[in-house]
Amino acid sequence: RALPPLALAFHGVADVPLRQDPQGLFVSPEELRRHLYRLRDWGYRLVTFGRLAELAADGRAGGHAALTFDDGPHHDATPLVLAVLRRHRVRATFFVLGEQLAYAPRLGRALADDGHEVAVHGWDHRCLLRRGPSA
């Protein structure tokens, strides 16, 4: 049976108690490892989100999964996340804020040098409904 394509979106990786994370935005490093083991056990090939999109455009995305990290990486968790990804030989996609790259350009370079895909999902988190087109 063919495996459907998957894109897993993570916001943060850290040991954060649920009472401090009511929206469930964080997974523990151990939980991230379990996700990676499970995906591989099921037979998924892990790719970047960009590669998954290319495969989908050609109708060949089945059996592939992409890991994405939103608003990241977070400076305090970056070494931990990268260590887990390195250990499992996984390349991921990091959707960062443009202002993160503007103020810390080495961040994007370090991710790219490690083979990860870096994409920008906006300049900051200000609500677009409250901003004019020239803001």
Side-chain angles (χ1 to χ4, degrees), residues 3 20 39 54 67 72 96 109 117 130:
L3 296 168
Q20 293 176 2
L39 289 167
E54 290 171 1
L67 302 181
V96 300
R109 170 48 71 199
E117 182 176 54
R130 295 186 201 134

Side-chain angles (χ1 to χ4, degrees), residues 62-129:
H64 292 84
L67 302 181
T68 70
F69 294 88
D70 191 29
D71 296 346
H74 301 280
H75 292 287
D76 53 345
T78 301
L80 179 62
V81 171
L82 293 179
V84 170
L85 295 176
R86 268 187 218 115
R87 177 175 163 83
H88 292 271
R89 296 186 180 131
V90 173
R91 300 296 173 252
T93 301
F94 289 86
F95 289 103
V96 300
L97 294 171
E99 67 182 359
Q100 280 180 303
L101 293 179
Y103 298 117
R106 286 182 286 174
L107 177 66
R109 170 48 71 199
L111 292 170
D113 286 349
D114 227 28
H116 301 289
E117 182 176 54
V118 179
V120 175
H121 75 64
W123 181 255
D124 56 30
H125 278 139
R126 285 185 267 176
C127 179
L128 293 177
L129 297 175

